Amino acid sequence: MRQMVMSETLWSALLRYRETGTLPAARLRAEAGWQLYAPLVAHGAERVAVAQVGQSLDGRVATPAGDARDISGADGIGHLHRMRAMCDAVIVGVGTVIADDPSLSVRAVPGRSPVRVVVDCNATMPAGAQMLRDDGTPVLLIRAADAPASHARGTDEIRLPRGPAGLCPAAILSALAARGLTSVLVEGGARTIARFLEARLLQHLHVAVAPLIIGSGPTGLSLAPVERLAQAHRPEISTYDLGSDMLFDCRLAEATPAAAATRRTRSDEHRPEA
């Protein structure tokens, strides 16, 4: 297990790497924070898709009544906001918007907020959602081609064909990449994350565990059932002590576009060091 210590120097180096691709000195690339966050960045034609779940010790992400705001501690929230700052776009399902009304900003850290992307298949996005009146960061709605006409103030939309299970996760990522949004964080809810995971489109799944037991309530993932443990996902993991929370960085080897920054930061030594 590695202790996560994020200095201003390292965070500035990560932000510069995100914007310019410039690698910092080797001593910074050896730090836990670099190993954790640099793989979230995409440059050029590369694509990176990662997901984040913040949960209790017993795997809950909210109480049965829907209270989810204080599950992650301060360090878990800081981690989530750093993930957002490293990515071009953050995806949530419209159910998460309705239930939690998130802003999806990077309030807890310096950096640029990602484009907010809402998978809103049937055009049910609430007109009063917090993200629509937050800080001016673009909001992009992904809707079925046959969904009712609706255009929420301050948003743009992408129309995609409706399939038997709704909108295709691969088509969503391709549509975002066509707009230059190639590094994507899938943040919720449970079924939205599961659809990207089951489609083998994620390179990393971050599971942040907070030291509390809720006892009942919704879980952070909702995957199709398996009959045998041999069918379960068994990713390679690295663990990080964030402080208030414990983080499992699950590397999903089956994901197909797996080139991104971990491999690049080990081989791109021709780029200038800061």
Side-chain angles (χ1 to χ4, degrees):
M1 182 181 301
R2 304 191 67 179
Q3 185 76 34
M4 245 295 301
V5 178
M6 181 56 66
S7 66
E8 290 185 10
T9 300
L10 177 56
W11 184 240
S12 294
L14 280 160
L15 291 176
R16 186 164 55 251
Y17 175 65
R18 183 207 189 291
E19 296 298 330
T20 69
T22 302
L23 291 171
R27 62 178 177 78
L28 290 178
R29 300 202 305 274
E31 291 192 18
W34 180 271
Q35 299 299 319
L36 182 58
Y37 296 114
L40 308 184
V41 177
H43 289 300
E46 291 174 329
R47 296 189 196 179
V48 177
V50 300
Q52 154 83 14
V53 175
Q55 65 181 43
S56 64
L57 286 169
D58 55 339
R60 309 295 176 176
V61 296
T63 68
D67 183 8
R69 290 201 175 274
D70 296 321
I71 287 183
S72 296
D75 297 314
I77 292 171
H79 163 69
L80 174 58
H81 286 209
R82 284 191 289 268
M83 290 186 72
R84 291 174 182 171
M86 287 290 101
C87 292
D88 299 326
V90 55
I91 295 177
V92 295
V94 71
T96 295
V97 178
I98 294 169
D100 299 337
D101 196 19
S103 70
L104 305 180
S105 70
V106 294
R107 301 179 308 278
V109 300
R112 184 175 64 189
S113 291
V115 174
R116 292 93 179 249
V117 179
V118 180
V119 182
D120 182 26
C121 186
N122 296 306
T124 57
M125 176 74 174
Q130 181 179 195
M131 70 175 70
L132 300 180
R133 60 181 190 273
D134 192 19
D135 63 359
T137 301
V139 176
L140 185 57
L141 306 178
I142 311 291
R143 289 173 165 165
D146 60 351
S150 172
H151 190 77
R153 178 181 54 84
T155 67
D156 193 3
E157 70 175 29
I158 293 174
R159 295 275 180 161
L160 295 175
R162 185 193 299 269
L167 303 181
C168 171
I172 292 172
L173 293 184
S174 293
L176 295 180
R179 293 185 173 222
L181 305 173
T182 53
S183 179
V184 174
L185 169 62
V186 184
E187 195 170 313
R191 187 56 195 149
T192 298
I193 293 174
R195 292 198 66 209
F196 282 86
L197 178 60
E198 289 172 334
R200 300 187 175 185
L201 295 170
L202 300 176
Q203 285 80 61
H204 291 259
L205 170 65
H206 285 194
V207 181
V209 181
L212 75 161
I213 298 172
I214 299 175
S216 59
T219 58
L221 284 174
S222 180
L223 297 167
V226 298
E227 294 183 0
R228 300 180 303 278
L229 288 179
Q231 298 171 279
H233 294 268
R234 296 181 184 272
E236 294 183 8
I237 65 168
S238 297
T239 55
Y240 296 83
D241 182 355
L242 299 178
S244 64
D245 300 64
M246 193 72 62
L247 179 71
F248 294 82
D249 175 14
C250 306
R251 296 183 295 280
L252 304 174
E254 71 270 23
T256 50
T262 300
R263 203 163 58 214
R264 185 174 60 251
T265 56
R266 291 173 183 166
S267 61
D268 267 11
E269 300 302 327
H270 63 278
R271 285 184 177 168
E273 291 189 352

